[in-house]
Amino acid sequence: MRKIAWIFCLLSSLHVSAQRKNYSIQMADAAVSTWIDSTSILSGKTDPSKMGILLFAMEAVWNATGNGQYFNYINKSVDQLVQSDGSIKKLQPGDASMAAQMLMVYEVTKKDRYRKAAELVVRQSLPGKGDAGLPTQTALRLAQSIIFNVAYSQLFQSDSSFSALSASVISLTGRTLVYEELPLPGFAFLSSIDKIPGDPLRKQELVHLFQAYAKKTRALQDTSSGKWPSGGKTDAAGEYATTALIAYTFAKGVRMGYLEEDYLASASKAYAFILKQFRGAKGAKDRGAADKSGGTETIRESFMGDPSRVGSFILAATEMEMLETATAGKGKKVVLDYYYNNEWQKDVTGKDVRWHYTWEDRSNSGYHMLGHVFMSNGAKISRLETSAADLAKQKASLYIIVDPDTEKETAKPHFIEQADITHIKKWVGDGGVLLLLGNDKGNAEFTHLNELAASFGIHFNEDKQNTVIDDMFEQGVVMSPAGSAVFGTQAKKLFIKEFSSLALQSPAEAVLTKGDIKVMALSKYGNGWVVALGDPWIYNEYIDGRKLTTDFQNYPATVEWVKWMLSLSKKTSLR
């Protein structure tokens, strides 16, 4: 009964105007409604390997919306397998189904039981370890094993594993695959390639293999309909799912720079084909799909009864929907400073790792979700681990300096020196956009930061505004005005706590205030711009939807803010 109700809900929702809600969100919400049973995996009703594809899709929707309910759904699903001591129920040794999500939940929450579970999977599934090495897995489980093991090896700096993992990617690409496995090599590649360090030639070999795979796969597309026909090897619903995941692979491959732009035409035609089927007559029958009673079920029911098929559609939808927002940052590169903000700590293995306002950090203190906002708007993200003397070489459009270190935070802090200021001023004057994010009193180095800011008429007052006690979030409210060029036409309720206010001189002007307090400033300098705010503000804790109450609008405000800053820059990575 629940399945029928869910299908009715989904069919209804997909006929609603996309202006109200993206198709990716509609399908994700419907999936949450149907696979809500906390025992569905343990009871055997849901295959964990198929659920893994749906959870990859839920993560994509979470990144695209900042809505914490999608992370909570992933967390709840993982909790069906991971016990309080880190042991794992249901999965056989060597099975890495949903292991990538176990690791992701650990990265976000830092709860050690998820790390222990991930470590257990690694010991059993990494090539050359345990009795169930990667090559013996089904293609679906092998793809998830590769994605998980690459992510684990990167997180815990296990560089010795990457050679074997690269070989596994090659092995998957060279396999003889059944029809519905056709998208899996591309899916595994795109989820792993940017996390594999080491020999550039080895990485380039993988890129060439992916490009050859994409070329071969594109040749199989029916150019008339846009689908990848199965030749009777699966039902129509299987064709929809396979077509969706290939469309996702092509669109993401283009966005990441591994495929030529013309692959978007194939992806767009495939996606249009799928949408047409869902908008079609509700009574359409799939004559090849029989239910247990021997009758036939609708195409949609066959599609929607399988979480991996639903996940494939959601992944395609999230990627295709990015095309609508990718123009703002196309050809632009955002560089985050890792030199003046250079904090390290020991991870659970005792190794030194960067933290605090970095792209890689998925916990509360990181900028991981901010990075996704930039990328969803078409920009590339990068980091600069040396001083601003090297800024001109980066071909950056936007340069972010956040929370410069004090002696309390770093043993040997790198201060912003006069020579650095000279380099930064020239770069801004040539058309770059500089974003300065300070902090409240005692939590950032102000002397040298203010020497830089003074060049643009800005001064961080080294005070503390909007003090918030515990979770009394209303104490941290700052309202953006309606009709704001920075945050969009509608007024937004922002949470910005314990920030340093600003003092401004021409040419700087306030673009966000709270009463008489200047919160954010904009300054024109030569052909470029400087944006300043006295707080790191948009780190994961306050835009990923897990902490703030739903009346706060930090995530949509961040999306508008990012678009605005990208529009200011005249510099692109192409020149």
Side-chain angles (χ1 to χ4, degrees):
M1 188 68 183
R2 175 179 293 159
K3 182 176 180 181
I4 295 172
W6 171 68
I7 292 171
F8 177 79
C9 171
L10 180 57
L11 292 178
S12 300
S13 71
L14 286 178
H15 284 76
V16 175
S17 169
Q19 291 181 345
R20 287 178 53 189
K21 191 180 285 188
N22 286 345
Y23 290 128
S24 60
I25 300 173
Q26 292 181 45
M27 187 71 90
D29 289 348
V32 168
S33 297
T34 196
W35 283 291
I36 199 170
D37 184 357
S38 62
T39 64
S40 63
I41 295 175
L42 294 179
S43 66
K45 296 176 183 177
T46 305
D47 182 341
S49 66
K50 293 186 175 183
M51 194 68 179
I53 300 299
L54 177 61
L55 297 185
F56 279 115
M58 289 295 183
E59 183 181 352
V61 178
W62 179 41
N63 287 327
T65 62
N67 188 332
Q69 74 164 336
Y70 301 113
F71 172 82
N72 293 337
Y73 181 80
I74 296 169
N75 200 161
K76 183 177 179 180
S77 299
V78 166
D79 282 346
Q80 294 184 46
L81 301 179
V82 178
Q83 302 190 83
S84 59
D85 62 355
S87 59
I88 300 174
K89 297 174 285 187
K90 184 66 178 177
L91 297 183
Q92 295 297 315
D95 187 349
S97 300
M98 295 173 55
Q101 286 75 40
M102 298 176 196
L103 184 64
M104 186 271 284
V105 171
Y106 166 70
E107 289 186 79
V108 172
T109 67
K110 296 302 181 185
K111 293 180 179 178
D112 203 46
R113 66 189 179 105
Y114 301 111
R115 180 196 61 81
K116 290 178 179 178
E119 183 180 44
L120 179 61
V121 176
V122 162
R123 290 202 305 267
Q124 296 172 342
S125 67
L126 199 61
K129 298 190 177 183
D131 296 326
L134 291 177
T136 66
Q137 301 275 13
T138 65
L140 180 56
R141 286 182 168 83
L142 174 55
Q144 293 188 58
S145 290
I146 291 169
I147 295 167
F148 162 68
N149 278 290
V150 169
Y152 185 96
S153 297
Q154 183 199 44
L155 180 63
F156 294 112
Q157 305 175 54
S158 304
D159 293 352
S160 61
S161 305
F162 282 114
S163 178
L165 288 167
S166 297
S168 296
V169 175
I170 295 170
S171 171
L172 180 59
T173 305
R175 274 195 177 196
T176 300
L177 302 171
V178 300
Y179 171 76
E180 288 196 58
E181 295 173 341
L182 187 60
L184 295 177
F187 179 68
F189 173 89
L190 291 172
S191 301
S192 306
I193 186 62
D194 283 352
K195 298 177 182 178
I196 297 179
D199 185 358
L201 293 178
R202 179 70 166 176
K203 189 170 182 177
Q204 192 59 42
E205 178 188 1
L206 294 176
V207 171
H208 288 156
L209 281 172
F210 172 65
Q211 291 169 341
Y213 155 82
K215 182 178 180 180
K216 181 179 178 180
T217 302
R218 183 167 62 171
L220 301 176
Q221 186 179 25
D222 177 7
T223 56
S224 176
S225 66
K227 71 177 180 179
W228 271 264
S230 70
K233 296 175 183 176
T234 187
D235 58 18
E239 285 189 337
Y240 297 172
T242 302
T243 294
L245 198 53
I246 295 173
Y248 160 80
T249 299
F250 283 6
K252 186 173 181 179
V254 172
R255 178 170 62 83
M256 294 179 70
Y258 297 121
L259 295 178
E260 298 294 332
E261 289 278 340
D262 59 1
Y263 278 86
L264 280 180
S266 297
S268 297
K269 189 154 192 174
Y271 186 58
F273 163 78
I274 298 164
L275 291 183
K276 182 179 179 181
Q277 309 314 308
F278 280 112
R279 292 167 177 160
K282 293 184 181 180
K285 296 284 185 177
D286 173 12
R287 302 300 177 186
D291 62 20
K292 293 181 180 179
S293 64
T296 58
E297 53 183 332
T298 65
I299 294 173
R300 291 187 183 86
E301 186 169 352
S302 177
F303 183 93
M304 298 164 191
D306 184 331
S308 67
R309 290 177 172 181
V310 173
S312 296
F313 174 86
I314 295 171
L315 285 167
T318 54
E319 200 63 43
M320 298 306 295
E321 287 158 5
M322 280 190 204
L323 295 177
E324 301 172 10
T325 62
T327 55
K330 188 173 183 178
K332 295 183 179 180
K333 182 179 178 183
V334 179
V335 174
L336 179 60
D337 163 63
Y338 279 35
Y339 183 76
Y340 307 110
N341 172 45
N342 184 36
E343 295 184 60
W344 295 76
Q345 63 179 1
K346 298 286 186 183
D347 69 8
V348 293
T349 69
K351 294 180 180 177
D352 291 324
V353 293
R354 285 185 183 275
W355 76 296
H356 233 185
Y357 318 127
T358 66
W359 296 134
E360 298 82 11
D361 187 355
R362 303 184 73 151
S363 68
N364 283 343
S365 60
Y367 274 167
H368 188 267
M369 187 155 282
L370 176 64
H372 274 279
V373 175
F374 276 115
M375 290 188 291
S376 69
N377 281 280
K380 305 293 184 184
I381 61 172
S382 184
R383 63 190 194 183
L384 182 57
E385 298 184 24
T386 55
S387 75
D390 294 325
L391 178 58
K393 303 174 186 176
Q394 305 305 308
K395 296 184 178 180
S397 308
L398 195 155
Y399 178 45
I400 305 172
I401 297 177
V402 54
D403 188 35
D405 294 335
T406 65
E407 291 90 341
K408 180 182 72 174
E409 297 168 318
T410 304
K412 295 181 179 180
H414 300 136
F415 297 128
I416 303 171
E417 306 291 357
Q418 284 300 318
D420 301 328
I421 293 173
T422 299
H423 288 297
I424 293 171
K425 287 168 62 178
K426 183 179 186 309
W427 177 82
V428 174
D430 288 342
V433 174
L434 172 66
L435 173 60
L436 296 176
L437 297 172
N439 214 322
D440 60 304
K441 183 177 181 179
N443 287 312
E445 197 285 318
F446 282 92
T447 301
H448 296 82
L449 176 62
N450 271 327
E451 288 175 1
L452 170 61
S455 302
F456 313 110
I458 299 168
H459 180 83
F460 293 88
N461 288 328
E462 199 171 353
D463 56 0
K464 181 182 290 188
Q465 303 290 340
N466 269 24
T467 298
V468 175
I469 300 172
D470 298 327
D471 289 340
M472 299 176 68
F473 298 132
E474 290 298 318
Q475 296 175 333
V477 171
V478 176
M479 293 297 301
S480 73
S484 168
V486 181
F487 296 112
T489 56
Q490 294 184 339
K492 291 182 175 63
K493 183 179 180 180
L494 310 180
F495 181 83
I496 309 177
K497 75 166 190 174
E498 297 167 6
F499 61 88
S500 171
S501 63
L502 305 174
L504 306 177
Q505 294 181 348
S506 180
E509 58 184 60
V511 293
L512 182 66
T513 60
K514 182 174 183 177
D516 294 332
I517 300 170
K518 297 176 177 63
V519 181
M520 184 183 295
L522 174 68
S523 182
K524 177 71 172 172
Y525 186 84
N527 291 319
W529 299 88
V530 177
V531 180
L533 170 67
D535 191 72
W537 183 40
I538 29 66
Y539 44 100
N540 299 330
E541 184 174 13
Y542 296 119
I543 63 172
D544 72 4
R546 296 188 306 116
K547 182 168 184 175
L548 294 178
T549 52
T550 56
D551 54 323
F552 283 96
Q553 297 168 290
N554 277 25
Y555 185 90
T558 299
V559 171
E560 296 296 333
W561 184 56
V562 161
K563 290 179 181 177
W564 171 70
M565 287 190 294
L566 289 171
S567 72
L568 292 176
S569 178
K570 305 304 179 187
K571 283 181 172 286
T572 73
S573 59
L574 304 179
R575 65 175 189 270

